[in-house]
Amino acid sequence: MFCFSSHPALTGRLEAGLIVLLLGLCAVLAPPARAAEPVVLGKFFVSTVVGSVTCVTDGRVLEIKKGDTLDARGAILRTGPGEHVVVVFSNGTAVYLDENTRLDIETFEQEFFAPNNNLGLEPSNSRLLAGLVSGRLFVSTPELRGGTSLVFNTDDASVALQSGQFVIEHSDAGTQVAVISGHATVNTRDSQNHPAAFGQRLAAGEQTWTGTSPSDSTLSPALPAPVTPFDASWLAGISAELAAAQTAQSSVLFSIAATDDTGARLFGIKAQPTIPPVLPLDFVVSPAIGR
């Protein structure tokens, strides 16, 4: 039979030994630290283009066409009068650029992702930062992941979007943001680029203005922007553009390839158009066809 002494010195040594043993077991049994996910540069796919829409990328000015896939970071997209383009980013977000719009894509990167046919879910965390210099955007996103950052900046506001559909318009008068579905946070800035004390969170059915609003010409962009419901008739007037952005999300599948088109071994995102991109909801196959 073993007998443990209650001598204080011996007891202290036993406790210290037990602590060391437990720490050692924790180190052995603990899972290894998770390595950072590899990051790849994002791309965008041209789903629809009307007119002579240009894109500045890698120091070149290109007239883009339907089906093009281009590096997003540093690209500048411009539309003129009567022109528009719909692009789909490789995180599944579609953006409809209305006429007379300029969008500068500052950065777009995302974590490595496995092939995924679920177009309603973002394939991996991503970070997209773009500047709306002028014009109007219609944005439609899939369900974005928790670590994703999707931000559009204007001269007087920063607009962070969560999953849903949105309209962002910017002109010399200010910036208008409307949330069709989902949520957005709008942080206004003054002429010295100082942010307002706090941002405004918008829910579905709400809009806000910065700069000069239609109802208050004295509104300062340094103040938090007012939030109001938007009119249903206004929404009806842009339903075609919103539908086009949403439809574009189903027009392409993205994957990561270990080699590029030249056979070089590097990770890169590839786009594969879907055929057809979307089947109309009222499409009916007649049994008489083919007889």
Side-chain angles (χ1 to χ4, degrees), residues 87-279:
V87 299
V88 184
F89 290 89
S90 49
N91 69 348
T93 296
V95 180
Y96 181 119
L97 282 74
D98 207 356
E99 64 177 349
N100 300 318
T101 295
R102 172 177 167 176
L103 182 67
D104 294 6
I105 304 167
E106 298 181 31
T107 186
F108 177 43
E109 59 188 22
Q110 57 191 128
E111 294 176 356
F112 180 88
F113 59 89
N116 178 20
N117 292 333
N118 184 359
L119 297 176
L121 176 66
E122 182 184 23
S124 65
N125 290 315
S126 64
R127 186 170 70 95
L128 173 59
L129 177 63
L132 176 58
V133 178
S134 60
R136 184 166 60 166
L137 304 177
F138 302 88
V139 183
S140 185
T141 82
E143 181 182 346
L144 299 177
R145 295 185 179 269
T148 286
S149 173
L150 179 59
V151 178
F152 292 87
N153 288 327
T154 68
D155 287 341
D156 57 6
S158 180
V159 184
L161 305 181
Q162 296 177 8
S163 309
Q165 283 195 304
F166 313 89
V167 182
I168 308 172
E169 184 170 5
H170 179 64
S171 66
D172 292 339
T175 301
Q176 179 184 10
V177 180
V179 178
I180 313 305
S181 63
H183 293 87
T185 301
V186 180
N187 289 276
T188 57
R189 297 188 301 271
D190 63 18
S191 59
Q192 303 301 314
N193 208 33
H194 298 144
F198 57 88
Q200 292 283 35
R201 182 174 170 84
L202 277 66
E206 294 180 335
Q207 65 179 346
T208 190
W209 293 274
T210 67
T212 303
S213 83
S215 59
D216 184 1
S217 60
T218 65
L219 181 66
S220 169
L223 299 175
V227 176
T228 61
F230 54 71
D231 189 86
S233 61
W234 171 81
L235 180 60
I238 58 171
S239 59
E241 290 85 351
L242 290 169
Q246 189 172 36
T247 298
Q249 291 179 265
S250 303
S251 67
V252 60
L253 288 170
F254 293 98
S255 61
I256 293 183
T259 59
D260 63 13
D261 294 335
T262 65
R265 291 189 172 276
L266 50 86
F267 283 117
I269 294 176
K270 301 189 73 172
Q272 179 62 48
T274 58
I275 303 174
V278 144
L279 191 65

